[in-house]
């Protein structure tokens, strides 16, 4: 049975409230966050009170119980503001919750879903220094003991790890590479467990206020109940199931941030004068603005279509990947056009265009690079062709 989501009228009221909150509260806070590289505690408390950390978590566990369309539209609304606000809630409502709902035991759901819905921050540990999209190269190991597991290894570029209370950690439970990545299992690991250490937050090109860091595990002991679903060899499958939602989330964020950049470019073009008139009057400026509007509209249509299909129960692996690729590449084009419209001012840190350009670059990389997703889309196309012979 598909999730009907929140009541439609209640959801529309929520979106209206969130949009007002974004424009009246979050946008004015951005300069402080850029200077301090952190979201203020009072804003985090407000986000918790609004239920933003539990959007996709079922109501019986303290969440909002949104369906995919509602969840992604919420992300789209929130992501008009700087990326840090989406980033801080993204793992809770995306990969962590999805994996737990799809593969967790009743006891695991009962323990962890209320905690992350209330705002305890989660992280998701798949990427390692020597492996990202290549699961066969995963080195973190989980060795079984009489009463649980011992984990050793390092995870890299882990979003929210400096703040996280819990991590969903992918670890090798077989030395051999097995079909369908059955050598990888998933473990729910409290980040305060003995042997867990978090590296220093990495300095990044953009996305001020969001943090990534290494997670190092040195003989970390967890009980048998830490194995997600109580089953060996299912970890990678659960991770992959959760990636569709993650990719739609990044696509929605890129689409919203492109709109933010275009709004900024239009405003600047009407205010900036050259040769005695606003540069918005010049046709080549208009061409950049118009092409950006066309690109954003196409991404918005893809977002609406793929989320509707997901709620209808379709397999959207290919379409979610396509949306993420198009939206992230599109956002790159739009922020580049924004810098160009700003001209010399677009290269200065005191103007927003420079920040938009840096912030948007990661969208083409995380949750599957453009190139990896193109390969995945092509692989599924060719498999379908051969199957239909």
């Amino acid at each position: 049975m598909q999730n009907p989501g929140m009541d439609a009228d209640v959801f529309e009221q929520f979106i209206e409230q969130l949009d007002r909150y974004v424009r009246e509260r979050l946008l004015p806070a951005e300069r402080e966050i850029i200077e301090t590289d952190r979201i203020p505690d009072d804003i985090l408390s407000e986000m918790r009170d609004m239920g933003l950390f539990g959007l996709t978590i079922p109501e019986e566990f303290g969440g909002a119980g949104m369906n995919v369309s509602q969840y992604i539209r919420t992300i789209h609304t929130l992501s008009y503001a700087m990326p840090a606000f989406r980033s801080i809630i993204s793992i809770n409502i995306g990969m962590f919750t999805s994996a737990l709902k799809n593969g967790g035991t009743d006891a695991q759901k009962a323990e962890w879903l209320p905690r992350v819905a209330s705002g305890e921050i989660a992280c998701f540990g798949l990427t390692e220094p020597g492996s990202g999209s290549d699961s066969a190269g995963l080195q973190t190991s989980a060795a079984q003991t009489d009463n649980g597991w011992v984990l050793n290894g390092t995870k890299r570029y882990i979003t929210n790890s400096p703040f996280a209370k819990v991590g969903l950690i992918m670890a090798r439970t077989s030395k051999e590479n097995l079909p369908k990545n059955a050598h990888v299992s998933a473990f729910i690991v409290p980040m305060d467990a003995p042997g867990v250490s978090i590296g220093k937050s990495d300095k990044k090109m953009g996305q001020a206020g969001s943090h990534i860091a290494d997670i190092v595990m040195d003989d970390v002991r967890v009980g048998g109940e830490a194995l997600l679903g109580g089953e060996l060899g299912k970890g990678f499958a659960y991770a992959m199931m959760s990636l569709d939602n993650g990719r739609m989330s990044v696509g929605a964020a890129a689409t919203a941030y492109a709109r933010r950049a275009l709004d900024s470019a239009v405003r600047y073009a009407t205010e900036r004068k050259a040769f005695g008139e606003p540069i918005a009057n010049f046709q080549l400026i208009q061409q950049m603005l118009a092409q950006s509007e066309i690109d954003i509209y196409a991404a918005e249509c893809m977002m609406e279509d793929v989320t509707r299909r997901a709620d209808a129960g379709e397999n959207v692996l290919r379409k979610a990947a396509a949306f993420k690729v198009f939206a992230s590449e599109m956002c790159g084009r739009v922020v580049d056009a924004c810098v160009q419209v700003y001209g010399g001012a677009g290269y200065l840190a005191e103007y927003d265009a420079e920040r938009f350009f840096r912030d948007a670059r990661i969208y083409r990389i995380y949750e599957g690079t453009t190139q990896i997703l193109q390969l995945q889309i092509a692989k599924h196309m060719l498999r379908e062709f051969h199957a239909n012979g």
Side-chain angles (χ1 to χ4, degrees):
M1 179 178 174
Q2 295 307 305
N3 177 13
M6 288 176 65
D7 175 81
D9 290 338
V10 173
F11 176 72
E12 290 302 328
Q13 291 171 4
F14 168 77
I15 285 292
E16 185 178 326
Q17 175 193 8
L18 179 61
D19 184 63
R20 189 163 58 247
Y21 180 72
V22 165
R23 293 171 189 274
E24 295 177 3
R25 179 74 168 115
L26 298 187
L27 297 190
E30 289 182 346
R31 281 292 159 190
E32 177 189 346
I33 294 169
I34 291 168
E35 291 168 6
T36 62
D37 198 24
R38 66 186 302 273
I39 301 173
D41 290 339
D42 56 345
I43 288 182
L44 284 176
S45 295
E46 292 162 8
M47 293 174 69
R48 289 186 174 101
D49 291 343
M50 291 177 73
L52 294 179
F53 285 86
L55 299 175
T56 57
I57 294 173
E59 290 183 49
E60 61 263 36
F61 297 112
M66 288 185 181
N67 61 26
V68 176
S69 299
Q70 293 170 338
Y71 152 51
I72 296 301
R73 191 169 157 208
T74 301
I75 290 296
H76 182 262
T77 302
L78 180 66
S79 298
Y80 189 83
M82 66 190 303
F85 299 116
R86 185 201 76 98
S87 183
I88 197 68
I89 68 170
S90 63
I91 308 301
N92 279 45
I93 60 178
M95 291 186 286
F96 187 90
T97 291
S98 178
L100 226 65
K101 287 195 299 185
N102 287 328
T105 64
D106 289 343
Q108 288 168 340
K109 293 174 186 177
E111 177 177 1
W112 290 105
L113 289 180
R115 292 174 64 171
V116 295
S118 70
E120 286 193 22
I121 295 170
C123 62
F124 187 90
L126 175 61
T127 302
E128 298 185 358
S131 70
S133 303
D134 173 23
S135 64
L138 188 139
Q139 294 299 313
T140 295
S141 64
Q144 195 162 14
T145 65
D146 290 340
N147 56 357
W149 300 86
V150 178
L151 277 69
N152 283 282
T154 299
K155 297 297 180 179
R156 178 143 294 172
Y157 308 137
I158 305 304
T159 298
N160 292 339
S161 57
F163 319 117
K165 299 291 187 183
V166 61
L168 189 66
I169 304 296
M170 302 298 132
R172 179 181 285 273
T173 45
S174 169
K175 292 182 179 178
E176 303 298 320
N177 291 333
L178 302 177
K180 297 184 178 179
N181 295 293
H183 54 282
V184 182
S185 300
F187 295 86
I188 303 171
V189 180
M191 288 293 99
D192 60 357
V196 175
S197 58
I198 308 299
K200 186 178 179 182
S201 289
D202 293 306
K203 291 186 176 181
K204 310 184 304 302
M205 178 188 292
Q207 304 231 347
S210 66
H211 288 257
I212 61 173
D214 287 0
I215 299 175
V216 179
M217 290 162 288
D218 184 12
D219 286 341
V220 176
R221 294 182 179 274
V222 293
E225 73 280 359
L227 178 63
L228 185 68
E231 288 186 82
L232 280 176
K234 299 289 189 180
F236 194 77
Y238 294 140
M240 292 304 102
M241 276 191 249
S242 68
L243 285 178
D244 284 346
N245 282 356
R247 286 164 183 167
M248 286 186 275
S249 174
V250 172
T255 302
Y257 213 51
R259 174 64 68 190
R260 171 80 181 281
L262 180 56
D263 286 350
S264 180
V266 170
R267 187 180 309 111
Y268 187 82
T270 58
E271 295 170 353
R272 172 79 166 91
K273 290 187 176 181
F275 306 103
E277 57 183 315
I279 62 172
N281 291 350
F282 303 150
Q283 288 183 332
L284 290 180
I285 295 290
Q286 292 175 4
Q287 185 275 335
M288 286 190 282
L289 300 178
Q291 187 58 53
S292 296
E293 174 67 23
I294 292 164
D295 272 354
I296 293 170
Y297 177 52
E300 289 170 345
C301 291
M302 291 178 78
M303 182 176 79
E304 185 174 336
D305 180 71
V306 71
T307 56
R308 176 183 55 79
R309 290 174 182 273
D311 281 328
E314 288 187 32
N315 182 338
V316 295
L317 185 150
R318 209 158 84 190
K319 287 182 170 59
F323 169 49
K324 193 271 183 183
V325 168
F326 181 84
S328 61
E329 294 286 341
M330 173 278 293
C331 186
R333 294 192 295 271
V334 172
V335 296
D336 186 71
C338 180
V339 171
Q340 197 70 9
V341 168
Y342 269 75
Y347 206 68
L348 302 182
E350 67 180 279
Y351 293 91
D352 287 338
E354 178 265 354
R355 154 167 73 106
F356 297 153
F357 188 87
R358 290 184 292 104
D359 283 347
R361 188 60 185 87
I362 190 64
Y363 289 140
R364 288 181 266 172
I365 296 172
Y366 61 17
E367 300 281 5
T369 65
T370 291
Q371 289 69 33
I372 283 291
L373 295 184
Q374 286 171 330
L375 289 175
Q376 189 178 65
I377 291 166
K379 180 177 72 175
H380 282 266
M381 290 170 63
L382 294 170
R383 184 185 298 164
E384 191 176 283
F385 173 80
H386 291 304
N388 294 334

